[in-house]
Amino acid sequence: MGAERMSKQGTSRTALMAAVALVCAVTVLAAPGAAFAAPAPTPSPSTTPAGSKPLKTKDLEAVRAKIDKLYHDAAVATDAYNAATEKAEKQSVEIVKLAQKIAAGQSRLDRLRSSAGAAAREQYRTGGIPRETQFLLSGDPQLFLDNAGRLHQGQQATKNLLSQLTKTQEELAQYADDASAKWKQLDEGAKEKAAAKKKVEKQIKEAQQLENKLEKKERERLRKLEEEAEQKRQTAWLSSGVLKEINGKATPAGKKAVQFATAQLGKPYVWGAEGPKSYDCSGLTSQAWAAAGHGIPRTSQEQWKQLKHIDVKDMRPGDLIIYHDDASHVGMYIGDGAIIHAPRPGRTVTVAGAGSMAILGVVRPDA
């Protein structure tokens, strides 16, 4: 029964993805006014009093454009926050390793000093003349020959001991300097992280305040305008015939990544989150590929920088589509012209058209 249920769930998800792609492909929408033109600046709307005229479409479009920009800026700041977090984690690991090296070096230095102290005490007991030298001065030729090698060895041992002491002291000083530098970087990173956090929260709060000033019906119209804009872009993308060229098959790892992402459908977007209860866009993609056995960068910008770039026509399920000129958003391609992504605050992990946003390029985690 469990296997049958999983099979049915898989079938329904596949049907959902295919349905989304089909609807996007056949829906031809009239352009809603100047939906994609840069709107002229307009005053922020206030709550519409009961009985007053609702906002005109062009005014609502201006609101939508402003909200989109605020959420876009919040996404950029979120990437900066996530990058600072990832950097801080790496620096903390490096500091721990340096601390371990310092502890081991200090222990070694203590042993070397103990050996040096023993050598000094021995010299004191023999009146300042090492035992080997006493052998040389004994007047016994055979004893001289027997111990000449020992004298040389003793001299070398003393030199080695002093050399090791010096080297260990220098290493400890370098480790301490490195640790101090890492602590400074960690402190600077914490300030960058705090600044990014403040910016994210400011942008999101401003966007939410804009939406909250609208009447319920106007918020519904705003959501409709958003959907229409996305569908129009998706329709234009599909109309280019791009799907005719895309026929790549998912690798085993790609299938695992898609399965993980699919299992997160409906979970809320939370900036900076990487599961298991909520995700931001790159938190979802990085965790999906971690579940597939491939660690990838945490942020969409680093995913764009570090992963292999491929042509859109060579795209296969599991590949990541990076959006906008600044690589501030990412979604996972699942086939049939669709992606799974975590859109923005106030939304949930969902299926969307792969061309519903401005595509920067495609990267492959398991190249």
Side-chain angles (χ1 to χ4, degrees), residues 179-242:
S180 178
K182 290 297 180 186
W183 275 114
K184 185 178 179 180
Q185 291 174 3
L186 194 63
D187 183 57
E188 291 171 352
K191 292 176 182 177
E192 292 174 2
K193 183 177 174 180
K197 180 177 186 290
K198 185 177 180 181
K199 186 172 182 179
V200 173
E201 292 174 340
K202 179 178 180 295
Q203 303 289 348
I204 292 175
K205 183 178 179 180
E206 190 172 343
Q208 291 174 338
Q209 286 175 339
L210 271 176
E211 289 188 77
N212 291 338
K213 287 179 181 179
L214 300 174
E215 287 289 316
K216 181 180 178 182
K217 289 183 178 180
E218 289 176 333
R219 287 198 296 271
E220 292 173 354
R221 286 174 59 208
L222 183 67
R223 182 65 181 266
K224 180 71 173 176
L225 287 173
E226 291 175 356
E227 292 173 354
E228 287 177 351
E230 291 173 358
Q231 290 173 353
K232 183 177 179 181
R233 287 190 288 265
Q234 173 72 353
T235 299
W237 184 68
L238 292 174
S239 297
S240 69
V242 65

Side-chain angles (χ1 to χ4, degrees), residues 101-298:
K101 287 182 178 180
I102 290 172
Q106 188 61 56
S107 178
R108 185 164 185 260
L109 186 62
D110 291 342
R111 291 195 301 270
L112 291 170
R113 283 174 173 167
S114 178
S115 298
R121 288 192 296 273
E122 175 66 15
Q123 188 175 11
Y124 177 79
R125 281 196 298 270
T126 58
I129 302 175
R131 183 170 296 171
E132 291 85 350
T133 304
Q134 292 181 35
F135 286 141
L136 292 177
L137 298 176
S138 66
D140 185 334
Q142 184 60 46
L143 192 59
F144 174 88
L145 293 174
D146 292 343
N147 291 284
R150 292 183 184 179
L151 174 60
H152 178 69
Q153 292 174 358
Q155 290 173 336
Q156 287 299 116
T158 301
K159 286 182 181 179
N160 290 340
L161 179 60
L162 293 174
S163 176
Q164 289 180 44
L165 271 169
T166 301
K167 183 180 178 182
T168 302
Q169 288 172 328
E170 290 174 349
E171 287 176 347
L172 281 172
Q174 186 60 55
Y175 293 154
D177 288 344
D178 290 346
S180 178
K182 290 297 180 186
W183 275 114
K184 185 178 179 180
Q185 291 174 3
L186 194 63
D187 183 57
E188 291 171 352
K191 292 176 182 177
E192 292 174 2
K193 183 177 174 180
K197 180 177 186 290
K198 185 177 180 181
K199 186 172 182 179
V200 173
E201 292 174 340
K202 179 178 180 295
Q203 303 289 348
I204 292 175
K205 183 178 179 180
E206 190 172 343
Q208 291 174 338
Q209 286 175 339
L210 271 176
E211 289 188 77
N212 291 338
K213 287 179 181 179
L214 300 174
E215 287 289 316
K216 181 180 178 182
K217 289 183 178 180
E218 289 176 333
R219 287 198 296 271
E220 292 173 354
R221 286 174 59 208
L222 183 67
R223 182 65 181 266
K224 180 71 173 176
L225 287 173
E226 291 175 356
E227 292 173 354
E228 287 177 351
E230 291 173 358
Q231 290 173 353
K232 183 177 179 181
R233 287 190 288 265
Q234 173 72 353
T235 299
W237 184 68
L238 292 174
S239 297
S240 69
V242 65
L243 275 188
K244 295 178 182 178
E245 299 182 18
I246 300 174
N247 54 15
K249 303 298 182 183
T251 61
K255 289 179 180 178
K256 289 181 181 179
V258 170
Q259 288 170 354
F260 180 94
T262 302
Q264 314 313 311
L265 288 170
K267 293 185 178 180
Y269 176 104
V270 174
W271 71 270
E274 48 188 332
K277 295 182 179 180
S278 58
Y279 296 88
D280 63 18
C281 66
S282 57
L284 176 64
T285 55
S286 60
Q287 287 302 305
W289 272 102
H294 289 262
I296 64 173
R298 169 65 177 87

Side-chain angles (χ1 to χ4, degrees), residues 10 18 20 24 31 38 42 48 55 72 79 87 89 139 146 148 153 167 182 185 215 232 256 289 326 359:
V20 169
C24 292
T42 57
T48 307
L55 288 175
H72 171 268
D79 244 21
K87 185 177 179 182
E89 290 172 353
D146 292 343
Q153 292 174 358
K167 183 180 178 182
K182 290 297 180 186
Q185 291 174 3
E215 287 289 316
K232 183 177 179 181
K256 289 181 181 179
W289 272 102
D326 52 9
I359 296 176

